[in-house]
């Protein structure tokens, strides 16, 4: 399983007062407003945590979150091109 890693290069990010994260991608000149859960996943996806590890870390801040919520957040981050390495679960193509 690949451990997801969020992009750090070419991005400017600013935390909002309500816990969301505003991210500006300098390469695509697009802005993204991440939910508090997605912002937490973005911060914690450093390439060292597997999906179960990432889920455990996320639930410390968001107790109602589970692996499905984390997968959805990772999909959103990947769709926005905010991941260098997307999560990959066993049995999926490389």
């Amino acid at each position: 399983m690949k451990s997801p890693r969020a992009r750090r290069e070419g991005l400017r990010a600013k935390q909002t007062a309500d816990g969301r994260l505003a991210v500006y991608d300098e390469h695509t000149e697009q802005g993204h407003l991440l939910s508090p859960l997605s912002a937490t996943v973005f911060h914690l996806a450093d390439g060292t945590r597997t999906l179960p590890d990432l889920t455990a870390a996320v639930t410390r801040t968001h107790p109602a979150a589970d692996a499905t919520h984390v997968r959805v957040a990772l999909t959103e981050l990947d769709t926005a091109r905010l991941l260098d390495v997307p999560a990959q679960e066993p049995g999926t193509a490389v």
Side-chain angles (χ1 to χ4, degrees), residues 4 6 9 15 18-19 24-26 30-31 33-34 43 48 51 56-57 63-65 67 70-71 74 92:
E9 302 272 331
Q15 197 77 37
D18 62 358
Y24 178 73
D25 186 334
E26 296 172 342
Q30 290 185 323
L33 187 59
L34 305 180
H43 286 302
T48 66
L51 183 59
V70 173
R71 279 189 202 97
L74 287 167
T92 60

Side-chain angles (χ1 to χ4, degrees), residues 10-87:
L11 299 177
R12 286 188 272 159
K14 182 173 180 164
Q15 197 77 37
T16 64
D18 62 358
R20 294 184 293 172
L21 185 67
V23 180
Y24 178 73
D25 186 334
E26 296 172 342
H27 299 298
T28 63
E29 298 182 349
Q30 290 185 323
H32 307 280
L33 187 59
L34 305 180
S35 70
L37 177 71
S38 292
T40 300
V41 172
F42 178 80
H43 286 302
L44 292 172
D46 61 4
T48 66
R49 293 178 176 95
T50 63
L51 183 59
D53 296 336
L54 187 57
T55 300
V58 168
T59 58
R60 289 186 195 109
T61 308
H62 304 277
D66 61 16
T68 300
H69 293 106
V70 173
R71 279 189 202 97
V72 169
L74 287 167
T75 298
E76 291 173 356
L77 293 172
D78 191 38
T79 300
R81 297 187 180 138
L82 297 177
L83 293 179
D84 278 335
V85 178

